[in-house]
Amino acid sequence: MNEQPGDVTEIDAVVVGLGPGGEFAANRLGRAGLEVVAIDEHLVGGECPYYGCVPSKLMVRGADALAEARRLPEVGGRAEPVPDWSVVARRIRGDDGTHDWDDSTSVDRLEESGVTVVRGHGVLRSDDLVQVGERTFRARMGIILATGTAPGVPPIEGLADTPYWTNRDVVKVTDLPSSLVVVGGGPIGCELAQVFARFGVQVTVLEMADRILAVEEPETSELMTSVFARDGIRVMPGVGIARVSYEEGRFQVQLADETVEADKLLVSAGRSLNVGGLGLDAVDVEADGGPLAVDDRMRVLDRQGKPVEGLFAIGDIVDKGKFTHVAKYQAGIAVRALAGREGDAADYRAVPRVTFTDPEVGSVGLTEQQARDDGLDVRVGVVDAADSSRGALHGPGNEGLVKLVAVGDRLVGGTVVGPTGGEVLAMLTTAIHCEAPVRSLRSMIYAYPTFHGVVRNALSALGDPD
């Protein structure tokens, strides 16, 4: 690095925010031989490996193993599973999980790629200047913003004065409560609710919308509500919370018609964008706390809708899907654009998402309602996933469905709920992304006996276009 007068250091690129997308971008740029400064005030790697995807899936694995053991008498013998949360907590803290929330391995990986990691809060001073504390960096080629999100906390009276949990707290739990209220029935809330219920915690899910997993198909919400009931989870959709209080080690959640009590309260009600304090006004970019507008090369757009030269944004802060895989996908596009290389523009027709409940919920593209709201003439096919050749043999735990949404001879959306819903989803993602004709999908050879074989049934249920 070349130290310049006025304590300005000139380098090739600056990455602000080192979640999955920012870390991926910095690593790629460093390996390409560029001088890169990567800035974050928290753990390198971000939410996913330390507070999200990784620890939560270790929890899910433990809960699913318990559920399978309890199904053994119906399929192959006898078992007396004894839940032991200490095993899960140990895995989360260990090398399989968060390394006890130590990011040194991630930092070392970046530094091995030639990246300089700087701790602190990065602020834009112009379209090529980023300040971190007393240091300022001038980016010759470009700046990538990837600051992600934080747990959203709804403005409920009394909540701020209580020791509630967010996802960042719950992954560090070593002793389970006897009862838990989950505020929010989205993907994170549903995954964790089922995990704790299967470890013996009495769980209540409170959801403001009229159904849990409200972004999914209504058939999905209905099925998962029935599954949760069998797991002993009380689901209360369509409720408003008037007040939360905490007295003598117990939470009281006041609803319109009753008060729900529990030992612990988990708030899982969305995410807030980390865009405050970024210095967006310095580059004439809207700074109202909402997502940043970008073009299909991830270039940030100013208030006039024009790209800011050399400034890119990726991940949750552009709100094209708050997923690790979307952030990394966008990082690849931004890196190519920053380096002046050709490549495909961003395409969000086939963004997959998976909720890792049991059964898994995998979705891609448009829901039926979204397609109808877009004015599309749709055909819909819905079948029971248990009707697949493998599903029928699987027995207990085979609940699920496949729903396809088609326009003409092309799929525009698909949902797979089942024991391997997230894996079966891959073929629907491919079909939508590559615009495979429905007639070609019907003519394929499907392996027998498989879970994915039920997709053929759903394609038949679509019927033919007029």
Side-chain angles (χ1 to χ4, degrees):
M1 295 184 186
N2 300 314
E3 295 291 342
Q4 300 296 315
D7 295 322
V8 175
T9 304
E10 284 206 4
I11 40 84
D12 291 320
V14 176
V15 178
V16 183
L18 294 174
E23 183 183 13
F24 183 89
N27 190 36
R28 282 285 183 90
L29 292 168
R31 289 189 181 279
L34 302 185
E35 287 184 295
V36 182
V37 166
I39 302 166
D40 205 307
E41 54 190 323
H42 301 298
L43 294 170
V44 173
E47 200 81 5
C48 179
Y50 298 107
Y51 303 108
C53 314
V54 171
S56 68
K57 299 314 163 283
L58 292 174
M59 293 178 177
V60 167
R61 172 61 177 142
D64 286 354
L66 284 173
E68 278 295 283
R70 290 164 182 153
R71 293 165 181 153
L72 187 58
E74 298 180 66
V75 295
R78 292 190 301 273
E80 296 181 5
V82 178
D84 183 354
W85 185 256
S86 69
V87 177
V88 177
R90 187 164 56 249
R91 292 191 73 202
I92 289 172
R93 288 183 176 273
D95 291 342
D96 289 338
T98 66
H99 301 274
D100 204 16
W101 293 275
D102 181 349
D103 66 353
S104 57
T105 299
S106 296
V107 174
D108 290 345
R109 186 165 52 241
L110 282 176
E111 292 180 341
E112 288 168 5
S113 298
V115 177
T116 299
V117 177
V118 177
R119 302 285 189 178
H121 181 76
V123 181
L124 294 170
R125 294 307 181 199
S126 71
D127 59 5
D128 65 349
L129 286 176
V130 179
Q131 182 177 345
V132 189
E134 301 299 319
R135 305 177 69 183
T136 302
F137 300 95
R138 184 185 304 279
R140 290 184 286 256
M141 298 175 67
I143 299 166
I144 297 177
L145 303 178
T147 49
T149 58
V153 181
I156 299 172
E157 183 182 349
L159 179 62
D161 298 323
T162 69
Y164 65 87
W165 286 343
T166 69
N167 66 294
R168 293 184 179 179
D169 304 298
V170 78
V171 299
K172 294 186 176 183
V173 168
T174 55
D175 297 305
L176 295 183
S178 61
S179 56
L180 173 71
V181 169
V182 179
V183 176
I188 297 173
C190 283
E191 287 179 5
L192 295 177
Q194 189 177 52
V195 164
F196 285 112
R198 289 182 167 182
F199 272 88
V201 179
Q202 180 184 345
V203 179
T204 301
V205 176
L206 306 178
E207 171 56 51
M208 182 180 298
D210 61 1
R211 54 192 176 92
I212 60 172
L213 298 177
V215 300
E216 305 296 346
E217 297 282 8
E219 295 91 338
T220 298
S221 301
E222 182 179 357
L223 188 151
M224 291 309 304
T225 298
S226 66
V227 169
F228 275 17
R230 288 197 297 276
D231 278 331
I233 300 170
R234 185 186 184 192
V235 176
M236 301 180 67
V239 298
I241 300 175
R243 178 177 173 77
V244 173
S245 58
Y246 182 76
E247 298 176 3
E248 298 180 355
R250 296 273 290 176
F251 283 87
Q252 294 81 37
V253 183
Q254 184 179 333
L255 311 177
D257 299 324
E258 67 175 289
T259 297
V260 180
E261 294 195 11
D263 293 332
K264 297 294 181 180
L265 176 70
L266 169 63
V267 176
S268 179
R271 310 284 300 177
S272 61
L273 305 180
N274 292 330
V275 292
L278 271 180
L280 296 172
D281 285 334
V283 288
D284 195 29
V285 170
E286 190 62 56
D288 61 358
L292 303 187
V294 295
D295 67 8
D296 60 7
R297 305 290 172 173
M298 310 315 301
R299 296 179 298 182
V300 176
L301 304 180
D302 63 18
R303 288 186 173 91
Q304 289 72 47
K306 298 179 180 180
V308 178
E309 185 67 29
L311 183 63
F312 303 84
I314 63 174
D316 291 2
I317 59 173
V318 303
D319 204 21
K320 297 294 185 181
K322 295 183 179 69
F323 309 111
T324 293
H325 48 279
V326 171
K328 288 186 175 182
Y329 168 76
Q330 293 170 336
I333 295 171
V335 165
R336 289 194 298 271
L338 184 150
R341 301 201 308 269
E342 295 295 325
D344 292 334
D347 180 354
Y348 301 107
R349 290 172 302 135
V351 177
R353 60 180 182 270
V354 182
T355 300
F356 293 89
T357 47
D358 175 21
E360 290 180 357
V361 177
S363 305
V364 62
L366 302 176
T367 63
E368 177 184 357
Q369 191 59 54
Q370 287 172 332
R372 294 192 187 282
D373 290 345
D374 287 345
L376 300 176
D377 184 13
V378 304
R379 292 176 294 123
V380 176
V382 186
V383 297
D384 189 335
D387 289 341
S388 70
S389 53
R390 183 71 179 278
L393 299 171
H394 188 78
N398 69 351
E399 298 97 341
L401 62 91
V402 174
K403 181 174 183 178
L404 303 180
V405 181
V407 175
D409 197 37
R410 298 289 190 275
L411 294 180
V412 296
T415 294
V416 184
V417 184
T420 58
E423 307 305 324
V424 175
L425 184 69
M427 68 180 298
L428 299 182
T429 303
T430 301
I432 294 172
H433 180 78
C434 297
E435 300 183 326
V438 170
R439 63 180 182 275
S440 295
L441 298 173
R442 285 175 176 167
S443 69
M444 287 170 48
I445 298 173
Y446 291 76
Y448 178 92
T450 58
F451 287 114
H452 76 256
V454 74
V455 172
R456 176 172 50 192
N457 300 353
L459 290 165
S460 297
L462 277 173
D464 295 316
D466 296 333

